[in-house]
Amino acid sequence: MSHRESARTAARRIRSAILAALVVVSTTISSLPAALGETDGAVLEGVIVFDDHIPAVANLDPGLLRALHTAARDAAKDGIQIVVNSGWRSRGYQKRLLRDAVARYGSEKAAARWVATPDTSSHVSGQAIDIGPSRAAAWLSKHGARYQLCRIYRNEPWHYELRLEANKDGCPSMYADPRHDPRMHQ
């Protein structure tokens, strides 16, 4: 075998190895879960309740969104801006949040304290919003019943839902966390 033939053989082996590596990389990439983005309800920093072009806001229940708009206008008079940390979410996004919570907390039971399933999440149905900053959550906690916006869980001061009876009866008692909410056991 000449020097030229061994160089060709080596070059073929290198090309084959590179081709095999590319196949492995492309197979790995195609098997990764698709990135979740704005169309799934992911929210970038600084989104407010008036950003109706953002799916996390646009896909909220219309009654909830109207109440949020009214509350946000009044909060602004007190120097408070209500920021949307999370609103409507796709089922895929909720499933990802649940999977991440199970990994973080060690079990579905422990994760259920913070994250609902796609079948029970008020975010997936557009019935819930998570707000910030903490000043806005404190303002809404104090004034929310006037707008029919109520905290639902003691462990989540950022989570609000529309409760139509709240403006005359006040907000209902809060659940300790989502595990105590009967809607989560459907």
Side-chain angles (χ1 to χ4, degrees):
M1 180 184 296
S2 72
H3 177 69
R4 182 178 272 184
E5 287 179 39
S6 63
R8 284 186 199 149
T9 303
R12 275 190 224 124
R13 285 186 190 140
I14 290 171
R15 280 194 302 269
S16 293
I18 291 171
L19 182 58
L22 287 173
V23 168
V24 168
V25 167
S26 72
T27 302
T28 301
I29 289 172
S30 68
S31 68
L32 291 174
L36 295 169
E38 193 175 276
T39 59
D40 293 293
V43 177
L44 297 175
E45 189 174 327
V47 170
I48 61 172
V49 298
F50 299 107
D51 289 333
D52 295 344
H53 62 284
I54 306 289
V57 176
N59 293 330
L60 289 172
D61 172 79
L64 173 61
L65 192 53
R66 277 191 303 276
L68 286 164
H69 285 172
T70 304
R73 281 192 288 275
D74 289 350
K77 294 174 189 172
D78 290 336
I80 305 288
Q81 183 179 47
I82 298 176
V83 173
V84 177
N85 291 331
S86 188
W88 168 85
R89 300 176 192 148
S90 70
R91 292 180 61 78
Y93 186 17
Q94 189 68 28
K95 189 174 183 178
R96 168 83 56 91
L97 290 173
L98 181 58
R99 187 174 55 240
D100 292 349
V102 169
R104 179 178 183 180
Y105 298 108
S107 71
E108 281 191 34
K109 184 177 179 179
R113 183 166 188 255
W114 302 102
V115 181
T117 68
D119 293 330
T120 61
S121 173
S122 297
H123 287 281
V124 172
S125 65
Q127 304 290 319
I129 188 163
D130 293 346
I131 66 159
S134 57
R135 288 184 49 198
W139 187 93
L140 201 52
S141 183
K142 182 177 181 181
H143 303 286
R146 181 181 328 156
Y147 307 96
Q148 301 174 319
L149 296 170
C150 297
R151 270 184 62 192
I152 303 302
Y153 307 117
R154 275 195 299 276
N155 72 322
E156 295 185 12
W158 53 82
H159 181 99
Y160 284 83
E161 296 181 20
L162 187 67
R163 292 292 182 262
L164 298 177
E165 68 284 355
N167 61 354
K168 66 177 176 147
D169 298 334
C171 288
S173 297
M174 287 183 259
Y175 300 108
D177 61 53
R179 296 173 301 178
H180 301 276
D181 184 342
R183 299 174 301 169
M184 300 300 124
H185 304 285
Q186 299 173 358

